Amino acid sequence: MKTLILMGSPRKKGHTIQLVEELCQYLTTDIEILSLYHRQDIKPCQDCRYCFTHKGCCVEDAMQEIYQKLEAADQIIFAAPVYFYNLPGAMKMVLDRLQVYWAARVRKEQTLQGKKGGMLLVGGAPEFPGQFEGTIQTVQCMLEDLGAECAGIVTMGGSDQKGLSERPDVKEKIQKLAQALQK
């Protein structure tokens, strides 16, 4: 079993990686954490519509490697801070390039299937109802396009005030996500 964690945080020692590391403690799979934020080798989607009629993307860049990693993974986790109610730009750019999987479904071609997925989302603002709704909806749709059933969602608002070490409730949710992924 392989778990691919797409990490969207610019902070190498921030709250998002703390959640990722906590999750990794409970997983018994081969884990790869792919940091997306500092990659300069991925171009944005050009909306050229090549993928509407062809398999894959016509833009030859580092996304080709990410496509291979996604296809080889049994589990896909999106981990990101939430900035102004959405994913950071580096992760959003990668998500836009995953249009190839949606287009394959529209063409009624075999797409990825049988994977599990999840998300780890962090927000600095004090927690409030609906804080992560837009991001969750985006990532849930993306997991569906990647053939991944969402096994769980872990959110941690208020990270500007309290980190993971002060949030046993979030640690418990991470453990439950790990259990759901390993069923």
Side-chain angles (χ1 to χ4, degrees):
M1 291 280 284
K2 292 182 180 180
T3 301
L4 178 64
I5 301 175
L6 297 173
M7 171 70 160
S9 177
R11 297 178 60 216
K12 295 179 182 179
K13 296 183 181 188
H15 296 289
T16 306
I17 193 64
Q18 290 174 13
L19 270 65
V20 167
E21 289 169 349
E22 183 78 14
L23 177 65
C24 290
Q25 289 182 46
Y26 302 106
L27 297 178
T28 58
T29 60
D30 179 25
I31 301 166
E32 180 176 3
I33 301 169
L34 186 60
S35 179
L36 303 174
Y37 201 86
H38 299 286
R39 298 203 59 160
Q40 302 297 317
D41 53 356
I42 299 172
K43 297 176 186 166
C45 177
Q46 302 171 33
D47 193 27
C48 67
R49 314 265 169 123
Y50 176 87
C51 63
F52 284 26
T53 56
H54 299 83
K55 180 178 169 64
C57 181
C58 68
V59 178
E60 295 287 332
D61 62 3
M63 273 305 294
Q64 306 308 318
E65 173 191 357
I66 293 174
Y67 295 140
Q68 291 172 357
K69 290 177 185 293
L70 286 165
E71 291 167 17
D74 301 295
Q75 300 176 148
I76 302 164
I77 307 296
F78 289 92
V82 174
Y83 298 149
F84 299 98
Y85 316 104
N86 212 329
L87 297 167
M91 180 170 269
K92 180 65 171 81
M93 189 163 59
V94 169
L95 276 130
D96 288 351
R97 291 288 300 282
L98 299 180
Q99 169 93 353
V100 298
Y101 298 108
W102 175 85
R105 289 179 49 196
V106 170
R107 292 191 318 271
K108 301 197 184 325
E109 292 180 8
Q110 178 84 21
T111 60
L112 307 179
Q113 295 179 9
K115 298 179 184 292
K116 286 189 178 181
M119 55 188 103
L120 303 170
L121 303 172
V122 177
E127 288 186 273
F128 61 89
Q131 181 176 8
F132 297 97
E133 282 181 16
T135 305
I136 289 170
Q137 185 176 16
T138 298
V139 176
Q140 281 181 317
C141 290
M142 191 78 281
L143 285 170
E144 184 179 311
D145 288 344
L146 293 171
E149 174 190 343
C150 186
I153 301 164
V154 177
T155 61
M156 185 174 86
S159 67
D160 286 348
Q161 303 301 319
K162 289 184 181 179
L164 183 59
S165 64
E166 301 169 278
R167 296 293 304 271
D169 59 318
V170 175
K171 287 185 175 193
E172 184 178 327
K173 290 176 188 176
I174 291 171
Q175 288 177 356
K176 287 180 181 178
L177 172 58
Q179 290 169 355
L181 289 167
Q182 300 196 102
K183 285 183 181 180

